[in-house]
């Protein structure tokens, strides 16, 4: 079962602009993670935010979590062509089989 | 270099044949996972293993089998019982569920 749903499905922006993608989920979670996947490659972990945290930063990445709305957002500031990839959220509702991935947002950054 | 290695990168199989995908990690992680990814979709969990000699079915285990005889290795066999095996297969490992997962580069399986 896929709990996380990313929005939008696809996003195209100019280099230097900010990119925002959202993830909504259905049940209570312990933590939420964001991953990046370059075309035809494995996923790379970006950031993990716990259920008792509201915001987290890592370089040009900013993640927010609103547990009351069951949603998270990933903001990439000052985007680069190298940021072109698909971005997935993964929600952990507890237990090894409770980590579920969304369908992803495909980001294209135009040089 | 620490990491997780999948092989081969591309695999072709004739209908009716079993095929085994390799996954090896040297990160000393207890937990390992197999996911299937279809075009435009997220990842679906096939099997996971929390510790050596133990593994559990995920959401789509039918037609697949695994073994975990060594901590470093978690091979996945796609059997002839899997009706639609053409997909991108990803192996991952982690310390636990509250920790980031490290992924291999994937194996693209095509049934011909």
């Amino acid at each position: 079962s896929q709990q996380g749903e990313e929005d939008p499905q696809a996003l195209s922006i100019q280099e230097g602009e900010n990119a925002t993608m959202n993830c909504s989920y259905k049940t209570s979670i312990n933590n939420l993670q964001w991953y990046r996947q370059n075309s035809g490659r494995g996923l790379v972990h970006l950031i993990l935010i716990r259920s008792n945290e509201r915001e987290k930063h890592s370089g040009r990445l900013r993640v927010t979590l609103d547990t009351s709305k069951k949603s998270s957002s990933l903001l990439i500031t000052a985007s680069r062509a190298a940021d072109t990839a698909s971005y997935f959220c993964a929600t952990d509702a507890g237990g090894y089989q409770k980590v579920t991935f969304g369908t992803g947002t495909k980001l294209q950054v135009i040089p | 270099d620490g990491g997780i290695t999948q092989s081969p990168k591309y695999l072709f199989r004739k209908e009716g044949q079993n095929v085994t995908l390799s996954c090896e990690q040297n990160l000393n992680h207890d937990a390992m996972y197999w996911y299937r990814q279809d075009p435009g979709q997220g990842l679906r969990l096939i099997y996971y293993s929390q510790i050596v000699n133990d593994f559990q079915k995920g959401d789509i285990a039918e037609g697949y089998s695994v073994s975990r005889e060594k901590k470093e290795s978690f091979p996945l066999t796609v059997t002839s019982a899997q009706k639609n095996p053409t997909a991108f297969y990803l192996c991952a490992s982690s310390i636990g569920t509250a920790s980031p997962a490290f992924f291999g580069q994937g194996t693209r399986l095509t049934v011909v």
Side-chain angles (χ1 to χ4, degrees), chain A residues 1-2 30-31 33 35 37 40-45 48 50 88 92 94-104, chain B residues 31 33 35 37 40-45 48 50 57 59 88 90 95-101 103-106 108:
Chain A
S1 59
Q2 292 182 331
N30 292 341
N31 65 70
Q33 302 178 45
Y35 288 84
Q37 183 180 35
R41 308 293 295 272
L43 277 70
V44 175
H45 181 263
L48 181 153
R50 303 190 190 284
F88 294 88
D92 175 8
Y96 287 88
Q97 64 186 108
K98 299 299 184 184
V99 176
T100 56
F101 287 80
T103 53
Chain B
Y33 316 80
Y35 292 93
Q37 186 178 31
Q41 296 192 31
L43 279 63
R44 292 184 289 168
L45 182 65
Y48 66 96
Q50 300 177 42
K57 293 181 180 180
D59 298 321
F88 189 52
L90 286 159
I95 297 172
T97 57
S99 303
F103 282 80
Q105 292 302 301
R108 189 167 299 280

Side-chain angles (χ1 to χ4, degrees), chain A residues 14-88:
Chain A
Q14 296 291 131
E15 202 166 29
E17 294 180 339
N18 295 343
T20 300
M21 50 206 90
N22 304 295
C23 171
S24 59
Y25 56 92
K26 297 172 185 171
T27 64
S28 296
I29 59 171
N30 292 341
N31 65 70
L32 185 146
Q33 302 178 45
W34 284 92
Y35 288 84
R36 183 187 75 228
Q37 183 180 35
N38 290 87
S39 181
R41 308 293 295 272
L43 277 70
V44 175
H45 181 263
L46 296 175
I47 200 161
L48 181 153
I49 187 165
R50 303 190 190 284
S51 59
N52 61 354
E53 298 175 311
R54 291 297 166 258
E55 188 170 311
K56 209 160 181 180
H57 296 255
S58 177
R60 293 184 296 113
L61 305 180
R62 173 178 167 249
V63 168
T64 61
L65 178 63
D66 187 334
T67 53
S68 66
K69 294 182 180 178
K70 291 187 171 58
S71 69
S72 174
S73 68
L74 170 66
L75 167 67
I76 303 174
T77 60
S79 63
R80 305 167 182 168
D83 294 329
T84 294
S86 291
Y87 291 82
F88 294 88

